[in-house]
Amino acid sequence: NLATKNPKYHVSQNKDEKSPSFKHWRVRKEGSSKTIKYIDTQAEAIEYAEDLAEKNDTSIVIHKVDGSIRKQDYQKKD
């Protein structure tokens, strides 16, 4: 049942020029507008999101700089 599935974590770049974290990468839970953490690089943001996803038995969605999806349902490989 998809409704009970844990929400995925999204990694995307912050496009808000007024934000102090402009151009930083952010990690947020699907369906939430609240950013869990801002991180300098995409690679580090992916690593952070992977750990969260692993702990919560879900996957991550990685967005490119332009916001389009680079990778869907990405999970940490053992």
Side-chain angles (χ1 to χ4, degrees):
N1 185 344
L2 286 174
T4 59
K5 255 188 106 179
N6 296 335
K8 295 174 190 170
Y9 289 92
H10 285 247
V11 174
S12 61
Q13 195 180 48
N14 182 13
K15 296 281 191 239
D16 182 359
E17 294 183 25
K18 293 183 187 78
S19 166
S21 303
F22 176 53
K23 288 217 164 154
H24 285 196
W25 292 85
R26 62 181 174 210
V27 177
R28 58 168 58 154
K29 213 178 236 185
E30 193 159 286
S32 168
S33 58
K34 198 168 131 323
T35 297
I36 297 166
K37 190 172 184 169
Y38 284 108
I39 299 170
D40 290 344
T41 68
Q42 188 188 40
E44 287 171 297
I46 289 168
E47 217 168 274
Y48 181 79
E50 278 176 346
D51 285 340
L52 284 176
E54 203 175 36
K55 286 184 189 113
N56 296 286
D57 193 30
T58 185
S59 61
I60 69 175
V61 179
I62 303 165
H63 295 263
K64 294 181 191 165
V65 173
D66 69 4
S68 65
I69 290 175
R70 184 182 113 184
K71 243 187 207 142
Q72 185 98 28
D73 289 323
Y74 183 75
Q75 279 174 313
K76 204 170 184 177
K77 302 287 170 269
D78 292 330

